[in-house]
Amino acid sequence: MKILLTGSTGQLGNQISITKPEGVDLICLKRSSLDLTNFDSCFDIILKYKPDWVINAAAYTNVDKAESNRELTLATNSNSLIAFSKALNITGGKLLQISSDYVFNGNQNLPYKSSHPKSPINFYGYSKSQAEENIAKEFKRNKNYLILRTSWVMGPKYKN
């Protein structure tokens, strides 16, 4: 199985890359080889490698700065997923999108269900919510994607 991993030098991507199972051909992409703000770069990389899966662990994660860097946040966290999804529809690959609990406003006292209406708490959450919508729209025919919403990601490296 061939898996293309974005964000391989980030906190989550790094842990995925060092714990990959035997027999997995893991293509680890860094910022220098994949510009998430460039549609053609994202689209072409999928056509080049033709992965069975893309694990999108890359994101603009500075929640506070996302408010003032909206264009960069949307390009990185949302628009890149349109390109990945379109290309994966051509190659037949699947997508695992790492999303965020910030797609919800946090006002509910009970656990959120995956079907619960989204109401982003901030612009970072909005960008992740848009990514989820873009993916669902592009994969509307074949549902070759999974979305994993998480909150804090912790590990032995990086800022936790």
Side-chain angles (χ1 to χ4, degrees):
M1 176 184 300
K2 188 184 333 180
I3 298 175
L4 187 144
L5 174 64
T6 66
S8 65
T9 60
Q11 186 169 325
L12 178 59
N14 178 263
Q15 288 302 302
I16 291 170
S17 68
I18 63 176
T19 59
K20 77 167 184 76
E22 294 255 344
V24 170
D25 178 13
L26 188 64
I27 302 159
C28 296
L29 297 179
K30 301 175 186 175
R31 279 187 205 159
S32 58
S33 58
L34 176 62
D35 179 0
L36 290 175
T37 66
N38 182 303
F39 182 94
D40 292 336
S41 175
C42 295
F43 186 84
D44 292 345
I45 206 81
I46 303 302
L47 297 182
K48 176 181 177 180
Y49 288 107
K50 296 177 180 57
D52 299 302
W53 279 90
V54 170
I55 299 175
N56 185 35
Y60 186 92
T61 58
N62 189 320
V63 174
D64 294 331
K65 287 188 178 180
E67 297 296 328
S68 58
N69 291 314
R70 290 178 176 217
E71 189 174 317
L72 176 61
T73 303
L74 266 183
T76 305
N77 293 355
S78 179
N79 299 344
S80 59
L81 277 301
I82 297 170
F84 288 151
S85 300
K86 283 183 181 290
L88 288 166
N89 275 326
I90 293 169
T91 65
K94 297 177 176 87
L95 173 68
L96 173 60
Q97 168 66 7
I98 308 302
S99 191
S100 171
D101 63 336
Y102 281 25
V103 301
F104 301 120
N105 61 24
N107 293 334
Q108 184 169 305
N109 292 327
L110 300 169
Y112 287 93
K113 295 182 180 184
S114 60
S115 60
H116 192 89
K118 293 178 276 188
S119 176
I121 195 167
N122 54 24
F123 196 78
Y124 168 78
Y126 173 78
S127 72
K128 292 302 228 173
S129 176
Q130 287 299 114
E132 291 183 17
E133 290 179 28
N134 289 339
I135 292 165
K137 179 181 174 189
E138 294 302 326
F139 281 111
K140 64 183 168 211
R141 292 185 185 161
N142 60 27
K143 308 290 187 217
N144 280 346
Y145 67 92
L146 294 171
I147 295 172
L148 174 64
R149 291 183 185 140
T150 186
S151 56
W152 286 93
V153 177
M154 296 183 279
K157 291 177 73 175
Y158 305 101
K159 184 177 176 183
N160 291 275

